[in-house]
Amino acid sequence: MLFRPQLPESPHLPTTLTAQHQVQAPMSSAGRPLTPYVGAVAAVVVVGIVLTALLAAVAVTAVSVAVAAVVLRSVVTGATRR
């Protein structure tokens, strides 16, 4: 015996749909041009680039100091064994 689901009866809706289109004007910038912000954006980008370059320089320096420390340690250890 199979059970067949029965859907509840729904009221019939009209088949024609009416769409209302609203046209909105683009937002104005309240009379202020965007050009004063270009300098600030450029300054933030330049500061970000400089800070990234400094971080890279610190990382390279740290790696080179670590390599020099390992080399010096092996040289000192080798000199004391001889």
Side-chain angles (χ1 to χ4, degrees):
M1 183 181 286
L2 294 174
F3 293 106
R4 292 188 184 185
Q6 294 186 5
L7 298 175
E9 292 186 21
S10 62
H12 295 289
L13 299 174
T15 57
T16 59
L17 297 176
T18 58
Q20 296 178 353
H21 297 286
Q22 296 179 353
V23 178
Q24 294 181 350
M27 300 262 315
S28 66
S29 61
R32 287 185 268 164
L34 293 177
T35 52
Y37 299 113
V38 172
V41 170
V44 168
V45 169
V46 167
V47 168
I49 290 172
V50 168
L51 289 177
T52 304
L54 286 174
L55 181 65
V58 168
V60 168
T61 304
V63 168
S64 64
V65 166
V67 168
V70 169
V71 168
L72 283 175
R73 181 176 162 188
S74 67
V75 167
V76 169
T77 304
T80 57
R81 287 186 182 172
R82 291 181 190 175

